[in-house]
Amino acid sequence: MWSRTIYLLPRRLSKDRHILSFHSNLRKASSAGTIQKADNKQVTKSESLGGEYVQKALKPITNEPFVKNLFLGNFDKDALIYPELTKEQLDDINQLVQPIERFFDEVDSKTIDEKAKIPDDVLQQLKDLGLFGQQIPAEYGGLGLNATEFARLAEITALDGSISVTLAAHQSIGLKGILIAGTESQKQKYLPKLATGEHVAAFCLTEPSSGSDAASIQTRATLSEDGKTFYLNGGKIWISNGGIADVFTVFAKTEIEKDGEKVDKVTAFIVEREFGGVTNGKPEDKLGIRGSNTCEVHFDNTPVPIENVIGEVGGGFKVAMNILNSGRFSMGSSGAGVLKKMMGMVAEHATTRAQFGQYLSEFPLIKEKFARLAITTYVMESMAYLTAGTLDAYEQPDLSLEAAIVKIFSSEGCWVCANECLQILGGLGYMKDYPYERLLRDGRILMIFEGTNEILRMFVALQGCQHAGKQLKELVKKIRNPLANPGLFFGTLKKRVMSDPLKPPLKLHLDEEVHPSLKTAAQSLETGTFIFQTAVERVLERYGNKVVHEQLDLKRLANIVIDLYAMTSCIARTSRSLSIGLRNSDHELLITNTFCYEADLRIKHEMQQLLKGKTENTDETIHKIADLVFKNKGYAASHPLERNW
Amino acid sequence: MSALRVLVGCKRVIDYAVKIRVKPDKTGVVTDGVKHSMNPFDEIAIEEAVRLKEKKIASEVIAVSCGPQQCQETLRTALAMGADRAIHVDIDSKDYETLQPIHVSKFLAKLAQDEKADIVIVGKQAIDDDCNQTGQMTAALLDWPQATFASKVEKNNGDLTVIREIDGGLETIKVKLPAILTADLRLNEPRYATLPNIMKAKKKPMAKKTPSDLGVDVASRQEIVSVEDPPVREAGQKVESVEELVTKLKDSGLV
């Protein structure tokens, strides 16, 4: 029986099993006992009363945001318990995987790339397979997949970049607004046709003058005098599915009254092509994902009924951010899906191609590349499924930072790994006869769209600082004013002089939460957590509210916390694999230990640079170098052959 | 005589794309952790049955698979493709190692009678053991007419007109119902099980039977002595000219 209720078990339920195998933690043991009972009860209750009771009883409303709390130095040990599906859930998802794998085996990605178009029959088959309605609930005709299942299918659909982006533009952003913020009647009207792919959706935010700065859009919606219709005017660019979509989620400025003053605020609308006045440009010619349809979309006095506002009038910016935040987590699994496929093909080459009388696979420099491919892929997967599993465990999860971290790490991981694959292949990788250069080109967009990695790094660091700032406000204020608070100031100073910020004492005992083989890795995670807490405090003291302008230090904070979340994910996953004895779990252990060792070095390096301050760590000179380049409108140093005498 | 009941055999086999490895002790091939799927000819059989139903010739399609627990996955695929219900004949893994087409034929024959089937369709052979026996033996056990290697099936009044693929051409025969069909490669192109149909298939009934329920003795009458890899193909040679080729062929006694 495919029912939502089977996914409502909180994560703790399944995760206690393997932890119990070697922990004498009584708290966990007892809570596992009670939850097991609840589990049994669920079966009977859901049969007699329907899902409602169960849902409220078993699925907690929201989580303590793990990454945000890291900014305060708080480590939620539950994050080290990797989410698990039940046997039945796993069988179900594997059943769905099969036909999609077969279908994607036969997709001709080379032709899609060359012709810059997904053939209509392929698109129709994707629709028939049900792939256009993956996360739309079953009552609206979709598959009702949860985040974990969606992530699993994304591993396969990602194998063709053009198809992957077409699907994502449709359901991860295009129709997501209706799904998460739409009214019941909007859902009933639009979702069934979107689920079958009879209608295709697109997300229209970006404009020529408004990219990362989404609040600056110029497209305008003006309310008619009778108050029933908005008239939409403006142009959007680089809209995925822009030429094939029937339903658009459009963001436009509307004038609203706030405190007696008229201000412009962003509002989200559902716009049908049928409404009239909707035109699109010709498909853009792109570096990668060439078969995905990317167009300009123009709205010329397009009438939109007021009931097609998504959320509140003036509440569109929040809708846009929620849509984008909710879609990012799947980039981890999709990236890993592509890399696993690529690794297989490249490994085949490396084990059969001989040079200097040796197979490539015997050269340490090649081995190093494969090890890094495996590590990066492993971390991407671990993060993606930890995030997805947590998303599934709560009613209204707060995972915006985790999802952004998955996106940053995975998009960069894909680029670096695809690049290394080409390097291993040598000249062969550069040839269009092989798929590798296409995969490299297709992957490049990942670092740009759905929020550039630069914006997302700032987002992660600033959201985290804001979360920490609320709690640290008093402390920071006092430390920044030593004359008024001499005791605290000197106390803190003493603590700092006496202790090495890079070698904090270990008090959390994270190593006791995981498989004993992961002791060292868990200890570096704990060290990193403390270092990060100190880093956040220093940054906040140093800059206070002006921290928003300190992008280079914010980047350091983001980099540290990305590594911390990555370490947490793979330690948790490896601990589970070792405890239940999965095949090749010793391989996983090597991967995690290697990754954590290097992450530890990176974290300490970032911290050293941060402690040094701008004058010593070259941040200032970086600014100066760039400033002269801009002043000069280009490269400013004299030509090496130049003489001035 | 409308509303026929169609019974279809679906064998779970190692996926056609998997590179087969022989177990080190040579008792069989490695199946643990290896991708399995429905025998491709059985997929064609299911597809044909579902098409008969879509043409209103058949009223019900029943999928049967004999083997261990995992066969239920194969049956789910059959249900997702359009079968109405499924019967899993549960065979423990030890018995399954020596299960032969004769046993499966007995299961199918018994089920065909129990379920009052009018047509039994199976793939012409399974891609793992290549036996090509089950359909024929089921026909013999039931004493029903058989139309093997079918590449086209049509219903005319009470009979089926079947075009068979035979050596050197096609043969058109007529069989009376009830009958056994075995599906050849060109009978049809099976559909993908779509995700919405996979979801719906979970609600379709799946019955479980044991060999003793069906009164079939599955005790093994034979012993596997040894399973070997096929000989490795020897490397080829390049020749410069036709003369050289002919000489070499003559030298090696091939022409």
Side-chain angles (χ1 to χ4, degrees), chain A residues 121-176:
Chain A
D121 61 319
V122 174
L123 217 49
Q124 190 54 47
Q125 280 174 299
L126 291 165
K127 291 172 184 179
D128 293 342
L129 272 171
L131 290 174
F132 275 63
Q134 294 179 50
Q135 288 202 284
I136 295 176
E139 66 252 46
Y140 304 111
L143 299 175
L145 301 186
N146 65 14
T148 305
E149 294 158 334
F150 181 70
R152 179 68 186 88
L153 297 196
E155 280 188 44
I156 312 160
T157 55
L159 295 176
D160 183 281
S162 297
I163 291 177
S164 174
V165 170
T166 303
L167 291 175
H170 171 74
Q171 58 199 330
S172 290
I173 51 178
L175 61 81
K176 203 57 160 296

Side-chain angles (χ1 to χ4, degrees), chain A residues 189-203:
Chain A
K189 182 167 181 201
Y190 290 105
L191 292 181
K193 282 187 178 168
L194 291 166
T196 57
E198 185 183 339
H199 282 172
V200 174
F203 178 84

Side-chain angles (χ1 to χ4, degrees), chain A residues 97-107 129 156, chain B residues 15-16 35 37-38 40 43 77 81 190-193:
Chain A
V97 161
Q98 278 182 17
I100 309 177
E101 266 181 349
R102 258 170 79 172
F103 179 80
F104 275 83
D105 270 350
E106 287 167 22
V107 168
L129 272 171
I156 312 160
Chain B
D15 190 82
Y16 68 92
K35 189 180 171 195
S37 48
M38 195 193 299
E43 274 189 351
T77 307
M81 287 173 73
R191 67 196 68 191
Y192 285 100

Side-chain angles (χ1 to χ4, degrees), chain B residues 53-198:
Chain B
K53 192 181 170 190
E54 284 167 351
K55 284 186 234 158
K56 311 267 187 234
I57 295 170
S59 62
E60 191 179 28
V61 178
I62 307 160
V64 181
S65 189
C66 313
Q69 182 68 21
Q70 295 95 312
C71 287
Q72 293 194 4
E73 290 166 24
T74 309
L75 288 172
R76 295 263 170 233
T77 307
L79 294 172
M81 287 173 73
D84 298 290
R85 59 192 173 91
I87 300 171
H88 171 214
V89 181
D90 193 15
I91 313 225
D92 69 50
S93 47
K94 201 176 157 293
D95 284 341
Y96 189 61
E97 278 175 20
T98 52
L99 197 77
Q100 291 296 312
I102 182 67
H103 302 126
V104 179
S105 307
K106 286 178 182 169
F107 291 135
L108 289 177
K110 179 76 168 74
L111 285 169
Q113 287 169 329
D114 291 355
E115 301 293 339
K116 300 187 174 55
D118 304 288
I119 305 177
V120 176
I121 314 181
V122 292
K124 69 166 180 176
Q125 68 193 66
I127 61 165
D128 51 0
D129 55 21
D130 279 343
C131 280
N132 181 6
Q133 298 169 359
T134 306
Q136 293 86 331
M137 289 199 282
T138 310
L141 288 167
L142 287 165
D143 199 16
W144 287 4
Q146 55 178 301
T148 50
F149 314 127
S151 71
K152 192 169 184 196
V153 176
E154 267 173 1
K155 184 164 176 276
N156 290 317
N157 303 319
D159 305 333
L160 291 180
T161 306
V162 179
I163 299 180
R164 304 179 60 231
E165 298 201 7
I166 56 169
D167 286 349
L170 297 173
E171 178 187 55
T172 307
I173 61 166
K174 224 193 238 183
V175 288
K176 286 200 185 327
L177 290 174
I180 308 282
L181 300 181
T182 75
D184 211 326
L185 186 65
R186 281 159 286 269
L187 179 57
N188 59 50
E189 220 173 290
R191 67 196 68 191
Y192 285 100
T194 69
L195 307 195
N197 286 338
I198 291 174

Side-chain angles (χ1 to χ4, degrees), chain A residues 221-232:
Chain A
T222 322
L223 193 58
S224 63
E225 286 194 354
D226 62 7
K228 285 183 184 160
T229 311
F230 278 99
Y231 286 92
L232 205 58

Side-chain angles (χ1 to χ4, degrees), chain A residues 370-387:
Chain A
F370 275 96
R372 294 205 181 284
L373 292 176
I375 292 171
T376 307
T377 308
Y378 185 82
V379 177
M380 279 162 67
E381 272 182 347
S382 308
M383 273 191 189
Y385 286 100
L386 174 64
T387 310

Side-chain angles (χ1 to χ4, degrees), chain A residues 515-570:
Chain A
H515 192 279
S517 312
L518 288 157
K519 188 172 177 189
T520 318
Q523 284 173 344
S524 8
L525 173 58
E526 184 165 349
T527 309
T529 305
F530 276 108
I531 291 177
F532 184 57
Q533 180 188 8
T534 317
V536 172
E537 281 173 18
R538 297 288 170 94
V539 166
L540 288 176
E541 282 163 35
R542 217 181 264 171
Y543 309 118
N545 287 338
K546 299 210 167 58
V547 67
V548 64
H549 304 298
E550 299 299 329
Q551 295 195 338
L552 296 181
D553 274 343
L554 288 171
K555 182 195 76 183
R556 293 190 176 98
L557 292 185
N559 285 346
I560 297 177
V561 82
I562 290 169
D563 263 331
L564 290 177
Y565 190 56
M567 289 164 97
T568 308
S569 312
C570 43

